[in-house]
Amino acid sequence: MTTTAGPATDAGWLWSELGLVAEVTTDIDGGGLDALVGLALRRNPRRAHLLVSRVLGKHLPVDPATALAAGARLAAQVRRLPGLTALGPAAAGQGAVEDGPLVIGYCETATALGHAVADGLPGSHYLHTTRRDTPGVPPVLEFTESHSHASFHWLVPRDPAILHDTRPIVLVDDELSTGRTALGTIRSLHAHAPRGHYVVAALVDARPALAQVAFAELAAELAVRIDVVSLIAATVAVPPDIAERAARIRARFAPLPPDADPDAGSSPGSGRESESGLALGSSSPVRRLSASWPADLPDGGRFGWSSRDGRRLDALLDPLAATVRAALIVPSGRTLVLGTEEFMYVPMRIARALARGGAGDVRYQSTTRSPVHPLDADGCAIRSALTFPAPDDPRRVSHVYNVRPGRYDDIVVIVDAGVDASAPIPVADPSGLVAQLRAHAPVTVLTIAAQPPAPRPAAPPPPPAAARPTGPDTAATSADGGLPLRGQNASMTTPVRTIGSGSYDPADVTFLLTDLSDVDLERPTEDREEAMQAGRHYSEDLPVEYQPDDSYLRLYHQALERSARRVALATGVVAELVRVTKPEPVLVSIARAGTPVGILMRRWYVFRHGLDVPHHAISVIKDRGVDMNAVRHLTDRFDRAALQFVDGWTGKGVMTRVLTEALAGLGLDDTLAVLADPARCVSLYGTRDDFLIPSACLNSTVSGLVSRTVLNAEHIGPDDFHGAKFYRDLAPHDLSRHFIETVAAQFDAVADEVDAAWPALWAADRTPTWEGWAAVERIAADYDIPDVVMVKPGVGEATRVLLRRVPWRILVAPDRLDELAHVLALAADRGVPVEERADLPFSCVGLVRPLGATPTFHTPGARWRPPTT
């Protein structure tokens, strides 16, 4: 056992100033912690350090032979375990029986590492998790990684039967910090198909003692064997003030500009040349190649990889390397081979073949979605960064680190089918990956065009309730919506197709909603209103989605610009109040108004605490209750004490009442957290002011393109989640991500104000007074409205009345008119009178027109305001 304040290298000062103390307990290779990891700072100013692997080929360039050898050494540790000792080198051969373990690597970091481990376990089958959606190919299993930058994982085997046999499973990751991801994966796999032996293999095992105990407890609970192997076992003690220490370091050092090379000692734009003679910073040439790739050979482990696939790849590598070598500007020079996110293993093998064939100094690394703060200081592992649209999803960003002018003579980017390496990023950066790399070296793009699995048949419509299987032996998995969905019965087999994440980043939310996109549910507003007032429930169908004109959209953007900081402040306050009793909450937003708020709270936790919490959106319907299939799905997966329900705002407090009634006796916290609580009916809120939350101005185009939720017995069976539609045709008008990014951009500006505000609010009297409900009853009496359900208080509810009901009139507080431009515009557009009323506890109130009523105005003392823009 050795204890050190950090490796005895240039990085020692960084370990010391951050106050990190590493204790190594096991070292298989004998090279020490520094041989496997470097130290960097996270980009998030509220979270400090990051251990960066030196052998993985993800954040740092490596000799590809080094990365593959690390996987081989880890496989050797697995082979030594009882029950796996038969998998020795002698078992490997052309005729090897493929009855070895199932190896699962974690995306995106460990996809190549897992594959290399599988290479060292003869007869194994390899599969890695994925965050990429493949149309028509539904995931079989899903689980979350609570501490990851992107928390969800899907398993999408080409042959789902591979998850159902009893062979041991080996889970491979680069680092075990808490082990929670591995434990959650084992639970999910075991619930899906039990077996007797699980192995967790990692380069670095940094679990604290209590986390190690958790593995033994799970093994006892499931009556299985769980082994953990690693190349090095160590713990890193982190001081409580590490965030402040990191901030002081950041203040001293600026990030290294991407066009500077500290190793060369020259300034940016110095006109240095590479060995090719090309002036750096000029537009270097780009060559595009297509590999000759067998149609039935996978390009990696996303859909599964057999030992036979591996033997076929071996035969292709030298011809592929020769094709690449012929395209290089300096064939014997310094070459970087760059994989793209999950697509790491095949590019790594091509890099190895390129080096073996005499292509000079070949290094390998991959792009990554993981954000790291580059630091221009000796000893920091990450010195510079390029940021660009992710090759597999240009809606989000990706990064590559330590690529600088003059370092390489050639850069080879290897992408899989369907990836656009030159795609422009929409807002923050005008150039794509290839465009940025060309300023550093000549670029060759090689595309591996493997065929994805054939689409699986779409899920059949649910049978009538009487014909549907029930009982303990029936189970559910998803079709192509993105989740393995567990409904009323823990092992249901009826497939359920869900909306997935709508148009949001899948890391931000998962909608537990049955996909009804192909069902005709919309009805004209007038017809719908008449049916509802005659007794039909509003959740049986949908209103036609209101599409605003350009002038209204300008009002929305003005409102967002005016309110973004206020929304950010309320987000931070309510998020911090939640964390007082739930340090690692599982957010459960009420679709759809609550979903943007849940996403913002999740983003706040990443920003403020480096905590990436799970977030799901479920349906809660007035008079129908909470979607209990969705609730059971969540309690099957998460600690029920961690569930936190989230909504946008309160009006009459209906959702509060529904939650309380539906969850009574289930041992669940029914407390609702909202941004704004003008009705004064909850205890967790960001503010009690009735201010405009701009997402209330629009419908699906600010809500992930998801409709209102639907509960219609014709389409939703007893074991299904409630339903919704995904409006793909509205994608050109979608502002969902723009709203999130605009508000989240204000987090840093309000952080200090949040830190000061939430403790005072926590200590204050937050007891609900239900003032809003009393006001609603008073208004209903004043206007002879027969049912309080037709009184919609608050700016959000008034907006909804104008967008999807038949409005009678709008009541406004005179002192809040300046904040209600969008309400006044909608009222003018629909010819709805607007009345100023000084006694409102809300900014405004919308009144639904009672059936058969005429708009006569008889409230004593009221001053009427004509519709106006």
Side-chain angles (χ1 to χ4, degrees):
M1 177 185 299
T2 60
T3 301
T4 176
T9 66
D10 288 343
W13 72 269
L14 186 55
W15 284 77
S16 178
E17 291 201 22
L18 288 173
L20 299 172
V21 177
E23 180 178 329
V24 177
T25 55
T26 304
D27 187 352
I28 300 300
D29 295 334
L33 188 62
D34 183 56
L36 290 182
V37 298
L39 187 60
L41 298 183
R42 295 182 183 272
R43 182 171 296 178
N44 189 330
R46 302 287 182 172
R47 199 175 181 198
H49 73 289
L50 178 71
L51 297 181
V52 183
S53 174
R54 298 187 188 280
V55 300
L56 197 62
K58 173 54 72 172
H59 300 86
L60 300 177
V62 298
D63 181 336
T66 299
L68 293 166
R73 295 198 304 277
L74 197 53
Q77 298 302 309
V78 175
R79 291 200 306 269
R80 294 189 181 99
L81 295 171
L84 295 171
T85 53
L87 298 173
Q94 296 298 317
V97 178
E98 299 197 358
D99 59 356
L102 171 63
V103 181
I104 298 177
Y106 286 101
C107 72
E108 61 178 272
T109 304
T111 55
L113 176 66
H115 213 140
V117 170
D119 286 345
L121 301 175
S124 64
H125 192 99
Y126 181 60
L127 178 68
H128 70 69
T129 68
T130 182
R131 296 185 178 106
R132 187 190 296 185
D133 183 26
T134 302
V137 186
V140 174
L141 209 59
E142 179 263 357
F143 48 89
T144 58
E145 181 180 5
S146 61
H147 294 286
S148 172
H149 177 68
S151 61
F152 71 98
H153 290 260
W154 293 332
L155 284 176
V156 194
R158 189 182 302 262
D159 178 10
I162 193 65
L163 293 174
H164 285 274
D165 61 28
T166 59
R167 70 177 72 192
I169 286 181
V170 180
L171 303 174
V172 181
D173 210 349
D174 60 318
E175 178 191 358
L176 287 178
S177 53
T178 65
R180 292 177 184 171
T181 300
L183 292 173
T185 306
I186 291 171
R187 283 189 180 277
S188 296
L189 290 167
H190 202 73
H192 186 74
R195 67 200 69 229
H197 193 183
Y198 298 89
V199 179
V200 180
L203 295 175
V204 178
D205 180 1
R207 293 172 299 156
L210 285 178
Q212 297 177 38
V213 171
F215 277 69
E217 291 175 344
L218 181 61
E221 175 190 335
L222 301 181
V224 299
R225 175 174 180 164
I226 301 177
D227 291 304
V228 179
V229 299
S230 65
L231 298 186
I232 195 165
T235 58
V236 178
V238 180
D241 63 341
I242 190 170
E244 290 76 15
R245 291 170 178 256
R248 290 194 293 269
I249 295 172
R250 288 191 192 95
R252 294 206 327 261
F253 297 96
L256 183 70
D259 57 350
D261 185 357
D263 299 330
S266 58
S267 61
S270 63
R272 286 181 294 111
E273 296 182 350
S274 69
E275 290 183 9
S276 66
L278 291 168
L280 297 174
S282 66
S283 294
S284 302
V286 176
R287 299 187 178 190
R288 296 186 181 270
L289 309 173
S290 294
S292 178
W293 194 266
D296 59 341
L297 178 63
D299 58 17
R302 180 178 293 113
F303 306 115
W305 181 277
S306 67
S307 297
R308 178 177 176 273
D309 293 328
R311 293 190 290 272
R312 296 178 68 195
L313 174 64
D314 291 343
L316 291 174
L317 288 173
D318 286 340
L320 282 172
T323 298
V324 172
R325 189 180 305 110
L328 298 180
I329 301 297
V330 185
S332 60
R334 300 162 300 176
T335 300
L336 174 67
V337 176
L338 198 62
T340 45
E341 299 203 358
E342 295 177 9
F343 186 50
M344 293 182 64
Y345 176 74
V346 167
M348 184 182 289
R349 291 291 306 276
I350 293 173
R352 176 64 180 133
L354 198 62
R356 205 171 47 230
D361 181 11
V362 178
R363 290 291 179 267
Y364 171 80
Q365 73 180 102
S366 169
T367 65
T368 175
R369 66 166 69 200
S370 176
V372 184
H373 182 88
L375 201 68
D376 185 9
D378 291 339
C380 185
I382 303 298
R383 301 290 299 274
S384 65
L386 301 177
T387 298
F388 43 88
D392 63 340
D393 183 1
R395 295 172 298 179
R396 60 177 176 81
V397 298
S398 190
H399 318 274
V400 66
Y401 299 112
N402 291 2
V403 174
R404 300 187 291 272
R407 172 149 294 191
Y408 302 108
D409 299 297
D410 284 278
I411 298 176
V412 180
V413 181
I414 304 183
V415 300
D416 54 344
V419 163
D420 183 1
S422 62
I425 190 167
V427 179
D429 194 325
S431 60
L433 170 60
V434 170
Q436 292 199 45
L437 292 176
R438 314 177 54 176
H440 299 69
V443 177
T444 298
V445 180
L446 173 65
T447 300
I448 306 293
Q451 295 296 317
R456 296 177 192 158
R468 304 186 69 168
T470 58
D473 296 327
T474 56
T477 59
S478 70
D480 59 355
L483 277 176
L485 305 178
R486 303 177 67 185
Q488 185 172 10
N489 304 298
S491 54
M492 210 164 50
T493 53
T494 305
V496 178
R497 177 173 176 161
T498 72
I499 286 176
S501 300
S503 66
Y504 288 119
D505 186 332
D508 275 334
V509 64
T510 298
F511 287 97
L512 301 184
L513 296 172
T514 301
D515 188 357
L516 301 178
S517 299
D518 298 328
V519 181
D520 185 9
L521 291 167
E522 288 79 10
R523 300 181 65 188
T525 302
E526 295 277 354
D527 293 351
R528 209 167 163 268
E529 190 65 51
E530 183 176 352
M532 284 191 289
Q533 294 193 34
R536 182 178 174 87
H537 197 272
Y538 73 87
S539 68
E540 296 279 317
D541 49 38
L542 292 170
V544 177
E545 283 281 304
Y546 172 81
Q547 291 305 301
D549 58 19
D550 289 344
S551 61
Y552 183 81
L553 284 174
R554 282 195 294 273
L555 290 175
Y556 163 78
H557 285 289
Q558 291 166 7
L560 179 58
E561 182 179 359
R562 188 169 57 244
S563 302
R565 191 182 191 282
R566 196 172 181 182
V567 174
L569 176 60
T571 297
V573 169
V574 70
E576 293 300 334
L577 292 183
V578 167
R579 278 199 82 237
V580 174
T581 57
K582 297 172 182 172
E584 295 188 15
V586 175
L587 300 177
V588 185
S589 61
I590 297 176
R592 64 184 168 180
T595 303
V597 179
I599 292 174
L600 287 171
M601 290 176 67
R602 178 193 167 276
R603 292 283 191 96
W604 175 267
Y605 290 135
V606 173
F607 162 77
R608 180 65 180 84
H609 303 287
L611 183 65
D612 199 346
V613 306
H615 174 212
H616 294 75
I618 71 171
S619 170
V620 179
I621 296 176
K622 184 184 62 181
D623 302 326
R624 297 282 183 93
V626 179
D627 184 348
M628 295 309 297
N629 287 330
V631 171
R632 276 184 284 266
H633 174 82
L634 294 169
T635 55
D636 280 350
R637 293 161 173 265
F638 302 105
D639 179 0
R640 61 181 54 216
L643 300 186
Q644 177 60 58
F645 294 93
V646 174
D647 206 358
W649 56 84
T650 63
K652 294 188 289 289
V654 171
M655 288 301 166
T656 303
R657 295 174 184 266
V658 172
L659 280 174
T660 298
E661 293 170 3
L663 303 180
L666 298 181
L668 293 170
D669 180 6
D670 63 3
T671 306
L672 188 62
V674 297
L675 275 192
D677 178 36
R680 288 165 169 74
C681 61
V682 300
S683 59
L684 294 176
Y685 52 85
T687 178
R688 277 184 164 159
D689 289 341
D690 182 24
F691 79 101
L692 173 62
I693 300 170
S695 56
C697 295
L698 302 174
N699 283 323
S700 66
T701 51
V702 78
S703 304
L705 299 184
V706 173
S707 74
R708 292 194 59 164
T709 60
V710 174
L711 185 54
N712 183 322
E714 183 180 352
H715 306 292
I716 304 296
D719 294 328
D720 295 337
F721 297 142
H722 294 182
K725 297 185 73 167
F726 177 58
Y727 293 115
R728 292 177 177 83
D729 57 309
L730 297 180
H733 310 288
D734 189 20
L735 294 167
S736 304
R737 294 197 187 194
H738 177 265
F739 172 76
I740 298 298
E741 300 299 339
T742 301
V743 175
Q746 297 293 319
F747 284 168
D748 193 52
V750 302
D752 291 341
E753 193 173 348
V754 170
D755 288 347
W758 78 259
L761 183 56
W762 177 260
D765 183 4
R766 293 173 288 112
T767 305
T769 64
W770 293 88
E771 238 176 90
W773 183 261
V776 166
E777 290 183 321
R778 185 172 64 250
I779 291 169
D782 287 347
Y783 289 87
D784 297 329
I785 294 176
D787 191 339
V788 291
V789 76
M790 303 172 77
V791 180
K792 303 294 184 179
V795 62
E797 295 303 312
T799 302
R800 287 176 168 184
V801 168
L802 290 163
L803 289 178
R804 59 193 191 214
R805 300 296 296 271
V806 177
W808 187 17
R809 62 189 72 179
I810 300 296
L811 314 180
V812 298
D815 60 343
R816 305 300 288 273
L817 284 171
D818 291 344
E819 300 179 13
L820 299 175
H822 82 286
V823 172
L824 300 178
L826 280 174
D829 183 59
R830 303 197 63 179
V832 179
V834 176
E835 174 188 351
E836 294 181 8
R837 181 162 170 157
D839 64 342
L840 295 180
F842 302 96
S843 294
C844 60
V845 175
L847 304 184
V848 177
R849 176 166 61 85
L851 200 63
T854 57
T856 56
F857 314 120
H858 57 272
T859 305
R863 182 167 65 87
W864 297 95
R865 183 183 183 91
T868 176
T869 57

